[in-house]
Amino acid sequence: NIQGVLLTGSYIYGNPNSESDLDLRLITDDNSNFVDIDSVKYGTRLEALFNTPEKVREYFQEGIRTGDETALHFWVNGKIAYDPNE
């Protein structure tokens, strides 16, 4: 049910440290809306966020309303790892 994957966080932005994890933003088509924090795969800590496109749009709208640019930062600066249309 994964429709897209975006990699974000300090590893992707080029400034990891000893506390860094790899952040995965997963777009789903099954109404998923959950976070899997601190999984460890292949020796690397992972944080995976599963959301529908509609939920991501809600995060953007909330950011616009409150002035919090966190969601926008992820999507502008992340690296696409999977796009079924490419």
Side-chain angles (χ1 to χ4, degrees):
N1 298 324
I2 302 296
Q3 299 301 305
V5 178
L6 185 74
L7 304 176
T8 65
S10 59
Y11 280 114
I12 301 306
Y13 309 145
N15 57 353
N17 61 53
S18 62
E19 299 297 315
S20 293
D21 61 0
L22 182 60
D23 299 302
L24 305 166
R25 313 272 173 208
L26 298 106
I27 302 300
T28 66
D29 66 357
D30 65 356
N31 294 321
S32 295
N33 186 31
F34 68 93
V35 176
D36 179 7
I37 298 177
D38 287 334
S39 290
V40 177
K41 304 288 185 197
Y42 310 108
T44 301
R45 282 184 35 230
L46 301 176
E47 178 178 294
L49 295 91
F50 296 80
N51 295 117
T52 61
E54 294 78 19
K55 189 64 176 176
V56 172
R57 286 186 198 97
E58 286 178 27
Y59 291 142
F60 286 166
Q61 292 298 322
E62 180 69 12
I64 290 167
R65 189 181 66 72
T66 65
D68 182 354
E69 297 179 352
T70 304
L72 180 60
H73 172 78
F74 291 136
W75 295 96
V76 169
N77 296 296
K79 304 292 182 203
I80 297 171
Y82 172 69
D83 179 348
N85 298 311
E86 290 190 9

